[in-house]
Amino acid sequence: MTIIHAIILGLIEGITEFIPVSSSGHLILAHQIFNIQGVDDLGVDAIFQSATIFAVLVYFWSDLWHLFKAFIRMCMKKIVANEDKNMIWAIIVGTIPGVIFGLMLEKYMKTTFRSSHLVAFTLLAGALLMYLAERYAKQNKALTAGKGFFVGLFQSLALVPGISRSGATISGGLFSGLTRENATKFSFLLSFPIIVGAGAKSFLEVYKAGEITTIGSMPLAIGFVVSFITGLISIHFLIQYLKTHKLDVFIWYRVILAVAIFMFL
């Protein structure tokens, strides 16, 4: 993998990780279109993906630090605002489905799921999910632990490339009654522990296998930085965009891309 390849993958990962068009699906397509062949494509993608969690950490630093302090107070059995309690428990229980299904489907994620035709089908499935969420969900309820678990089930759908973690979790939030703005924010916060865990696991696997030396530490470092910077930009864009717009433009993009895959790949 060359530095140019790393920049391409970093750009794609950073731009598409938080925008509901599926970063994993786009990375699979990029590997095929640009003939980018790493020793462990899934591991390299996960390392670039882990850069985006630093973008979440930077962008939502005040929120995450506030929740961390509230969590410590909870552990010490001190008074904590109900809103903070609900958010903390929602993140904890919402992470459980992704961990369980991630471990169950890990071998398929490295083989069966890395198919451009599967991506095309799941792009359409994700578009339908987002369409139904926008059209039929009632957005008038507060976040609870139960709703967090429900959204977490939707997050686990994103283990299949093409679905999109942000698209699935925002849709799950809308179905559970959250406003679009609250569903978007919770989507970012819920992604934090999952991406941290997946990124750390993949980095250790790639490191232990000696593949960092094979691929080259410089391309990985450059791709990481590119992914981080573009991730910050895409977070800000999506939050601002969804304040006044629906998911329709992303729905149409997914449909058009799926048709293009069927026609050309």
Side-chain angles (χ1 to χ4, degrees):
M1 184 175 67
T2 66
I3 290 178
I4 296 300
H5 290 160
I7 291 174
I8 292 172
L9 293 179
L11 281 171
I12 292 173
E13 168 58 32
I15 292 172
T16 61
E17 176 62 37
F18 301 113
I19 294 175
V21 295
S22 177
S23 61
S24 58
H26 279 74
L27 288 171
I28 289 173
L29 296 176
H31 279 287
Q32 295 189 24
I33 294 172
F34 297 102
N35 194 29
I36 303 173
Q37 299 299 324
V39 179
D40 181 355
D41 291 345
L42 185 62
V44 172
D45 291 351
I47 290 174
F48 290 161
Q49 183 187 55
S50 66
T52 60
I53 203 59
F54 286 96
V56 174
L57 180 62
V58 170
Y59 198 92
F60 291 101
W61 170 252
S62 60
D63 295 280
L64 290 169
W65 180 243
H66 176 78
L67 290 174
F68 176 74
K69 292 189 292 184
F71 177 72
I72 296 300
R73 290 199 300 273
M74 283 176 57
C75 293
M76 297 174 66
K77 297 183 179 180
K78 293 185 177 181
I79 297 175
V80 177
N82 287 332
E83 183 179 353
D84 292 336
K85 284 183 181 179
N86 289 338
M87 177 64 77
I88 291 169
W89 280 115
I91 292 174
I92 292 174
V93 300
T95 302
I96 295 174
V99 173
I100 294 175
F101 286 107
L103 294 174
M104 292 173 57
L105 299 175
E106 184 176 13
K107 64 178 181 180
Y108 300 104
M109 293 166 63
K110 294 182 177 180
T111 54
T112 308
F113 289 174
R114 296 189 71 81
S115 162
S116 58
H117 289 92
L118 175 63
V119 169
F121 281 112
T122 51
L123 281 170
L124 293 174
L128 177 61
L129 177 67
M130 291 160 59
Y131 173 82
L132 294 175
E134 281 285 13
R135 296 302 182 277
Y136 299 106
K138 295 182 179 179
Q139 305 172 36
N140 56 8
K141 299 179 181 178
L143 179 66
T144 63
K147 290 182 177 62
F149 183 78
F150 181 74
V151 176
L153 291 174
F154 277 78
Q155 178 172 244
S156 65
L157 295 175
L159 292 168
V160 183
I163 293 294
S164 168
R165 177 183 288 104
S166 61
T169 51
I170 291 173
S171 296
L174 294 177
F175 278 124
S176 66
L178 301 181
T179 64
R180 190 179 294 102
E181 185 174 356
N182 287 339
T184 303
K185 182 177 180 179
F186 181 61
S187 170
F188 288 129
L189 296 177
L190 182 62
S191 72
F192 191 84
I194 283 289
I195 301 180
V196 167
K201 182 176 182 296
S202 295
F203 179 82
L204 289 175
E205 290 176 350
V206 172
Y207 178 78
K208 288 180 179 179
E211 295 174 358
I212 290 180
T213 302
T214 303
I215 298 169
S217 57
M218 183 58 71
L220 289 177
I222 292 175
F224 188 94
V225 172
V226 170
S227 181
F228 168 74
I229 295 173
T230 52
L232 274 175
I233 295 172
S234 66
I235 291 173
H236 183 72
F237 164 76
L238 188 64
I239 289 177
Q240 296 304 315
Y241 182 84
L242 291 184
K243 285 182 178 179
T244 54
H245 299 80
K246 294 184 177 181
L247 295 167
D248 292 1
V249 65
F250 306 112
I251 294 172
W252 280 110
Y253 172 82
R254 295 170 67 97
V255 171
I256 292 171
L257 180 58
V259 172
I261 293 172
F262 285 127
M263 291 178 61
F264 299 109
L265 296 181

